[in-house]
């Protein structure tokens, strides 16, 4: 076995990365379930009131950013660990486009 390969196999950071990938994979699954629940709740608001909730839309936007951060970490696209090791994504509330009334 080559020295570099052996060093990578016994490296504590490599195995620690696997542990964190597992943790963020689990958090990703939970976040996806929450996203589906938020989608149905938002649909209920639109169905019964005809309007979507801005605070819920803002949370959905933050949640989608969090899911993106988890996927990027698990796929080795970044070394930055998402929440709870970093701040929760801060995304401004969605601003509805107002069209002029005719």
């Amino acid at each position: 076995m080559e020295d570099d390969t052996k060093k990578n196999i016994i490296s504590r950071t490599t195995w620690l990365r696997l542990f964190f990938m597992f943790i963020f994979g689990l958090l990703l699954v939970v976040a996806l379930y929450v996203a589906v629940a938020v989608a149905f709740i938002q649909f209920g608001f639109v169905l019964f009131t005809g309007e979507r909730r801005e605070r819920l839309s803002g949370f959905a936007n933050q949640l989608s950013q969090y899911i993106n951060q988890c996927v990027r970490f698990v796929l080795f696209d970044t070394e930055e660990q998402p929440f709870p090791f970093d701040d929760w994504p801060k995304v401004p509330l969605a601003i509805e486009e107002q069209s002029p009334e005719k």
Side-chain angles (χ1 to χ4, degrees):
M1 202 181 293
E2 292 182 28
D3 289 335
D4 289 340
T5 305
K6 185 177 180 180
K7 186 171 75 171
N8 291 337
I9 290 174
I10 63 172
S11 171
R12 181 174 181 258
T13 57
T14 302
W15 293 105
L16 193 58
R17 171 68 187 227
L18 177 65
F19 172 75
F20 283 118
M21 287 172 59
F22 178 74
I23 296 298
F24 285 115
L26 290 176
L27 289 173
L28 180 60
V29 170
V30 171
L32 288 172
Y33 279 110
V34 171
V36 169
V38 168
F40 281 112
I41 292 168
Q42 189 72 287
F43 178 77
F45 279 120
V46 171
L47 184 64
F48 293 111
T49 67
E51 297 177 0
R52 62 189 184 109
R53 296 290 185 241
E54 288 301 316
R55 291 185 69 192
L56 193 57
S57 292
F59 174 71
N61 198 347
Q62 292 173 347
L63 184 61
S64 69
Q65 292 297 317
Y66 179 70
I67 290 170
N68 181 31
Q69 289 174 355
C70 286
V71 168
R72 290 185 66 219
F73 180 79
V74 169
L75 296 179
F76 283 87
D77 192 36
T78 183
E79 292 297 319
E80 295 178 29
Q81 295 178 344
F83 178 83
F85 297 98
D86 198 7
D87 293 334
W88 182 258
K90 290 180 178 42
V91 181
L93 290 176
I95 300 173
E96 286 187 21
E97 295 180 6
Q98 297 185 8
S99 58
E101 294 187 25
K102 296 180 183 179

